[in-house]
Amino acid sequence: MKYRTIGTDPATRREVSVLALGAMLFGSRTDEETSFAVLDRYVEAGGNFIDTSDNYAFWEDGGQGGQSEELLGRWRRSRGVGDEIFIATKLGARPLAPGTSYVDNAEGLSAKVIRESAERSRERLGVSRLDLLYAHIEDHRVPLQETVEGFAELVSEGTVGLLGASNHAIWRVERARALAAAAGLPGYEVLQYAHSHLRPRTDVPGDLFPDGSLGHAGPDLLSYLRAEPGLTLVAYSPLLKGAYTRPDRLPPDFDHPGTPARLKVLGEVAKETGATVNQVVLAWQIGADLPIVPLVGMSSLAQLDENLAAVDLELTREQRARLDAAH
Ligand SMILES: NC(=O)c1ccc[n+]([C@@H]2O[C@H](COP(=O)([O-])OP(=O)(O)OC[C@H]3O[C@@H](n4cnc5c(N)ncnc54)[C@H](OP(=O)(O)O)[C@@H]3O)[C@@H](O)[C@H]2O)c1
């Protein structure tokens, strides 16, 4: 395994494995036995960066989520896991009632929700401190100042380590970080966005974001990362939920001329290296000149083994240039 540092403050920054494990479907679609087996082998291989959320996976059973955090809590207890394993979670997008969704009934990012939901996450995970807590989606009903202060209070009390944001317009991230900096408070240091080698159209309006998807890492985010070297991008859905091997899973916003061009180069590099396309995508992210940590979901040990091997796949400068340029 290889490691990189996330966060800048010597008191809270951590060394995490360059491949993060997504536990979104653990305890719901992925049964407990398989989930524990994947977690155990990931840790055996040196992995220490696990991702969950207080709303995972509410859509699987029409509830409010929490199964993933609960499963991780049981796994931690049964294996005697301590501080060496870094678990990130999120709040803000938990539906307020069973049968509803974050689209129109999310808990949001008020100071009260931040305090109470973080406490519930700590209980489910069985930890005294959340290593990394993200604002999962934006909340335009609450003043940003309140959200910034709410998160910072938990850091100063020691119940949260690092702070992060996911699926936010970059101008909102920058505004929140500027408010925090001006007040001498800790701000978001880890940004979690969908990012893969294939690029989606981002101008297609969605339920949540009428101006187009804010969940994807676009040029504004990449330029922000370049300008702020202390930030880390955690790239979610890097394997496009399995679409590289099952093209029927490719969402409609990938239906544009850039997709076949990128798939062609991915296939060529896979052939040259003897690796799989999935491994080339992950290695391309891990070795990028920007700090990117791919965050992959896996439902079997075979998938885990394939994905772990990407950590040791070194692409040449020329292969990387071809992958970057394909469009
Ligand atoms: N911040 C957010 O809003 C947000 C949103 C989505 C996800 N996430 C996080 O990101 C993590 C990963 O996202 P994701 O599950 O959406 O996408 P992903 O990692 O791109 O895809 C995971 C799925 O891809 C398939 N897969 C994985 N490795 C494979 C391999 N080597 N060969 C073939 N298929 C493979 C599996 O599908 P099958 O199980 O069907 O075989 C697996 O469940 C989640 O667990 C969650 O922690 C965050």
Side-chain angles (χ1 to χ4, degrees), residues 22 51 166-167 192 237 239-241 246 249 297 299 303 307:
D51 186 84
S166 185
N167 306 311
Q192 187 175 132
S237 307
L239 300 183
L240 297 172
K241 300 184 185 285
R246 281 156 290 191
R249 291 190 177 179
S299 61
Q303 290 177 354
N307 301 339

Side-chain angles (χ1 to χ4, degrees), residues 139-319:
D139 181 355
H140 286 256
R141 300 161 306 178
V142 168
L144 207 44
Q145 184 89 28
E146 177 179 333
T147 298
V148 167
E149 288 171 1
F151 277 117
E153 249 173 52
L154 301 188
V155 175
S156 72
E157 288 169 10
T159 52
V160 171
L162 290 169
L163 297 174
S166 185
N167 306 311
H168 282 49
I170 301 309
W171 68 266
R172 297 274 294 179
V173 176
E174 167 54 22
R175 185 172 289 181
R177 282 170 46 81
L179 284 170
L185 299 174
Y188 301 137
E189 294 190 274
V190 186
L191 307 183
Q192 187 175 132
Y193 288 75
H195 184 52
S196 187
H197 186 251
L198 296 187
R199 314 305 299 267
R201 289 179 55 179
T202 51
D203 58 337
V204 182
D207 291 341
L208 198 52
F209 307 115
D211 297 321
S213 173
L214 296 177
H216 292 287
D220 49 351
L221 172 56
L222 299 179
S223 100
Y224 192 46
L225 287 175
R226 229 173 268 289
E228 301 277 325
L231 296 174
T232 304
L233 170 62
V234 170
Y236 76 72
S237 307
L239 300 183
L240 297 172
K241 300 184 185 285
Y244 287 105
T245 45
R246 281 156 290 191
D248 55 300
R249 291 190 177 179
L250 207 55
D253 46 344
F254 288 84
D255 186 9
H256 61 79
T259 293
R262 289 215 140 196
L263 285 174
K264 181 167 175 283
V265 178
L266 275 176
E268 287 165 5
V269 173
K271 213 165 171 191
E272 290 158 20
T273 53
T276 65
V277 165
N278 286 325
Q279 289 169 335
V280 173
V281 172
L282 297 175
W284 175 73
Q285 293 190 329
I286 291 169
D289 61 347
L290 291 172
I292 300 177
V293 178
L295 164 57
V296 198
M298 315 172 198
S299 61
S300 71
L301 290 175
Q303 290 177 354
L304 174 66
D305 288 343
E306 179 183 338
N307 301 339
L308 279 170
V311 171
D312 296 317
L313 173 62
E314 300 279 350
L315 301 174
T316 65
R317 196 186 292 266
E318 186 275 329
Q319 285 166 335

